[in-house]
Each structure stands twice: as C-alpha cells, then as structure tokens.
Amino acid sequence: MMDRFTVVICVLLVSCICRTFGQTCEGNCGKKLDLCSCHSTCTSLGNCCTDYREYCVEILPHSGSILGGTDFIVLNATFNNSSEIVCRFHDNIKTEGYVDETSRGHCISPLLYETGWVPLSISSDNGTTFNRTGAWLSVHTGKLDAKFKAILVNSTKWQYYGTTDVRGNLEMTWNTSLVRAERVNIELWGYRETGEPYTDSWLGEWAYLYSLAKDQPNSGSFSFLPKPAENGFSSWELGSLRISPSIYPDGMWNVQAAWTEDHALAWHLEEKFRQNSTVWALDKCVAWNQLENELPNFLSEIIDCPCTLAQARADTGRFHTDYGCDIEKGSVCTYHPGCVHCVRAIQASPMYASGQQCCYDNTGAQVLTADSNGGSTPDRAHDWGSPPFKKPPRIPGDSHWVYDVLSFYYCCLWSDNCHFYFKLRPSSDCRRYKSPSSAVVFGDPHFITFDGVSYSFNGFGEYTLVTSFAKGLTIQGRTEPVNGTVKATQLTSVAMQETPSDIIEVRLVSGHNGLEVLQNQKTLSFSEQSWMDLHGVYVFSPTSSNVTVMFSSGVGVEVRLREGTMTTTVLLPEEFIDTTMGLLGKMNGDPKDDLALTNGELVQNRTNPEEVFNFGAGWAISNQSALFTYDSEYLLDTFLYAPRHDASFLPVFSIPENPNDPLANQTSEICSGPGSQFCRYDILVGRSPRMGNASKISYQSHISLEEDLKPVISCGWFSPPSNGKKEGTTYLQGAKVNLFCNEGFTLTGPSVRVCQWDGMWSGGDTNCVVRRRRKLCGSHYE
C-alpha cells in the first residue's frame, strides 16, 4: 500500500514540477515544449510531458454517423465518480457525457451538418473548463461502415412503399451494442430545407417527428406495418429512424443512438399517395420542375464526365466510385438500371457546390439520360457535401436528397415522367474531358516520368518527386537501402501537400507489411472508416496496402504496397502542364526536357547512369521544405540531422551478368517483355525475386493505366430525326448510328452516321419527310 502511495506522490510531484515550469499539455496539445512534448510524435520519441495522455486524448471509436448518437470512450484520461462530463464539438455544440462503472469517461457525438474531423474538447467540471482536447470524425451516412448504423431490410421495399402492390410490414435491424440499453424507443426524425435558395436565409433542419414504438426490447430488430402520418407529419418526405434508450424523453437531442441511413419516407406519406401514387408524384414532379426553372443554372460549371469506364476508374484524382453503383460490389445500381458502375466527381463545383455523376454500361460506354433512364445525372447539390458544409447546398447527403434524389422519386420511380427530370438533369457527355497525365515510382526505385521517360535512381535520402510553384503542389519521396548489404535503395515514404491543405504522408510500416497514413505528422487509423474528409484533401484507404490521396485541384496520388515495396503513381490534370519540376519531370508532352536539374540544365546523356544519379541527387530537399515526419531517433539522425542526400552511398549502376548467379534462373523466369530491365535489376542487384516480381507487376499496371487514360474522340450525343428513331448509343470515334423513319415518312440524307476523328458526325443532315401520294391514270401509288 505504501509503495502505491509513494508512486502516486512521485507522479504528482513530477506533474507539479512540470506545471511550475509551464511544461504541461493542458492547453498545449500539438506543441513541442522546452522540457517535453505535447506533439503527436512524442509517444514514439519517448519525450511526452507526463500529462500528455491526460489532456491530449484519444477516443474509441473515433468516428460515427453525421447524425450523431455514438457513445465513445475517452482513453487513458482519469475521471472520478463526481466528474460531470461535458463534450464540446467545435466551440459551440455541447453534449452531456458520463463516467461509467470503471471510471472511464464517455462522450456522445452530436448531430452535425458536416463531415470530416471536428475539434473536440472535454470538460469534467460541468463545462466550467474544457482542458482536454481531441478530434471526432463525422461520416456521411452512405460512407459509414455498416456496423455503425441500423439497416433497412429490403431497402427497395422501403423506397416504393405505398406505390402499386407494395404493402406489408417493414423491417430494420441493428447491432445492439450501438445502444447500451435493455429497452429502446424507435423514433422518426425528418429533414427539410427552408429559406430562399442561395441566400443567407437558406437553412437545413433535422427535427424529431414522432415515435413508432416506445419501450421496446433492444433485440436488434424491429418490424411494423406503416400507416400514413398524422398531424401533418407526412409533409416531411426525407428522414431517418433512430433507436435510442427508452429512459430519455421523446426526441431528446444528442443521446446514444443508432440511425438508419436517410431515406425517402414513402411509407408514411399521406393517404392520397397510397390511393394513386402516380398522380401524387406527377404533381410533385411538376412543382419541382417549376422551382428548378427559377434557380440558377449550375450545369456550365461542373466537370465533364470521362468518356469510358476505363478512364473513369483510372482518373482517381478527380472521380471516385459511387457507393450506390459499384462494379466491385456486384453493380447494384438501383437508380441507374442498365449500368454496371458509376463515379462521382470528388470536388463540388466552385460557386454552386454542385456535383457530377457518370455511369457506364457493361461495354464500358457512358450511359446518357437522353437514351436511357439509367443515364448519368448531374446534381444541384454534391452528394458528399463540400466545405464549409453546415448550410445548403453544402450539407452532406441531405441537400443532395432534397434537390436531386426526391425529385427523381417524383418523376421517375413513383411515376413515369422522367422527361421532366432529365430535361433539368441532362447527362454531361465527354467532349471537353481531358485525361490526366501519370507518372510512377516503383521498385528500388525506378521512375517513369509524365512524358514517358524511364530511368533508375538509387540515391539514399529525401527528394522532390514533383513540385509546382504555380499550383502550390509538393510531393516528396524518401528512399532507404533495401538492406544492409545491398547497394540499392527503395521508396519507403511519400509526403505531399497542396497549399494550404493538410500534409499527408504515406509510409511503410515496420516489417514492410502495411502502409501507414499520417495527417500533419499524426497517424490516421482506417480501422473504422475507409474514407476521410480532411482539410483540402481526401484520403481513401480500403486496405492497409492501398491508399489514394485526392487534392482539391484534381491531383491524385496512389500508393500501393506490393511484395513489401511501395509503388507510387501521381496523376496530374491538364492545368499542371508546363508547371512541374522534379524527379518525375516536366509535364508538357516533350520527353527531351524531363531530366532537368534544379537550375534548369538538362542531363546531357540519359544513358549514363552516373550522370542520371547526379541529376537525382540534385533534387534532395532542404530542412525548410521537408514535409516528412521524424518520429524516431533513426529518422532524426539519418535525415533531419544529416544531409538529405547521403553522398557516401554509391549504388550499383549496372546489372551484373553472371550466368552462375544462383538467382539467374529465377530472373529468366520472372523477367520478360517490356520493362524487364527493372525486374532484372531488382533481382540481380537488389537480390530479391519478390521485389523483381513486384516491379514487373507495377510496370505492367502503369502501362495499363496509360492505356486506360488515352484520349478518345467523342462526337457527342446524336439525336434521332424528328418522326424517326435511331440504333446505337455509343458516340466515340468509329461508332455508327443507324437512322430510320416512322411509318408514313421517308428518309432523306444518310441512313448511317459515323463519328469521325475530328469529333464530327459524317454526312449531311438526316430527315424524315412525309411520303407524298401522286395520282396517275385514276390509280394511286406512292
């Protein structure tokens, strides 16, 4: 007992000494102090202030629904039974927390109108002081992992409920651990937007409507027979169901809860809808059409769609898979019948925060609304929202529902009047689309520039891969020896920033069996969510070996782990032409000037490995420009406190030709065809068949990417002639459209039009004219 008492006294004494000299993390999280550190790197460097974990808190889980209700634990910090916990998100949204039976502090996430990391501060004295700080990740309901939300069983039935022949019970399920209570209430909450669009009065509102059931067992499932809502609540057409403990009053804000995704509330609409859903929906469709015609035209400022499915999936800096139609997950495309995959433009448009959606069929061709109800549709409000969020049309998910999805229900799903919808949401074709340029670093390491120059540079240090002063983009790479005996290096970390975005670093973890992502030198965990909205940048990491970084400008950086080695691909949109420098060259279509020194002088002999090595060494970064994280003694001593290029490390420049080499046979088996020189180097110099095979795969993947991104010519949508029809819905170079006339009309002009190399359709105009009847000798003929 005395020993324990002595330890407590010592800890308190050290804490008091630190506080006396101002060396406390209270109010200093993220800072490096004189005697200790409150920076996130202090745990691995072992120089944290004694109270670091007390005040710079970590939480579990660290993410949850934008709708709130997640109960999370405050790790490591100490509380007592008399602590009165209040949690503050940003500086103005507060929820009431509690201390559990094991003296751990808990907070409840609030209903938010934004996604991404939200600053969190915690008080244990009922809100008098907020001296603990952390962060909470708010997630779009569509991107939220299924284990964190309630599920609508047979969601199609929910969305069509009340239309012809769709009746019966509806069911929902949830993980009971999301609501720690024996008995629960099932509540309906609604969302709507009020005020004049595009003015300061335009606001979004979530509100409690009514309870479907009270004091129900927390069994993890609930079914009910829907009926039209009373008291005018059926006017709320969008909402979500909430499961919360029965101990709270109806509709109490910010309590522990599980939410369904937001959805169209077909099941509680007025009796008129059930009596004749088609007529009811048509009236709504016409009213929406009238409103839309009064709103600004957003179509001119959204990005054009890629022409092909291959381009859409390859352009990862500007487009990302639409979770509602994903070829990797079985192509369940509810809103786009006939399509196998859709993508969304990652960035919302600048003025109106609008979105672009592009959908493709199983031939890889873009599907247009002029040809099919499953076609691509632009959005007045981007589904994922956009900074600064909080107000329409930038509220994630909900603004999109109000202006783009409910209207689709009115005009297309609940009635057969898609012509109203598609007139105002026409598909973008791809005539203005320009593919990005790509460059890659792989193996130990090999480089292929934006203009296709390939070379190897085995320097040991930290170097500039790409810099664009005009665009504020910097991408840096760190290389380290393959091992202690091999005179070759490999890429181990990539750090990047597009001013004024967060700094993102992707690096190999110890053991080279996974990738680690850091945001401003703090490690991010993707154990709960695969997508994160950060400041000026998005990060997607579906697995520990796959990271994609997407900047506001449309720059994409893909980092892939293969056989323990990193492959980094950089995608730059055409706006970066003539602005880039670095190891990945000058992106301008001219390979001759790619290997340029920092002073602009060109490498004279690109076949001379020593000259190329000196070129690479010249792109070593400075301490002032470094974006990397130095959170170990090794990194500090090897890079921060040493020259960024180790001049004493001289690699093997040429591949040894030794038929008696024990790896010679494996090299012959693995390495063949284009790019084999990279594979051979990695095996015979790097002494690693695994790395050689990884380089072979990376090279082939890059060639495939280049093929996918090749520009294609589009002639744009071709309309059938008046009083006629057409066959053919592909509009790329070489495509044919066959034209026919309706009964009673004659075709004039070509019956076949071909999309030509210049983006124009072949032939002259095609028309359908009324057949003339002529009289001859008392008889009729045509």
Side-chain angles (χ1 to χ4, degrees), residues 441-473:
V441 186
F442 61 97
D444 64 351
H446 313 294
F447 297 76
I448 302 178
T449 69
F450 294 106
D451 294 336
V453 175
S454 60
Y455 68 94
S456 297
F457 167 61
N458 272 266
F460 177 11
E462 294 176 343
Y463 309 93
T464 297
L465 300 180
V466 182
T467 184
S468 172
F469 297 112
K471 299 295 183 180
L473 174 70

Side-chain angles (χ1 to χ4, degrees), residues 705-722:
L705 176 67
E706 291 278 272
E707 185 65 28
D708 290 343
L709 288 174
K710 274 187 177 178
V712 297
I713 302 297
S714 171
C715 293
W717 180 71
F718 193 96
S719 62
S722 296

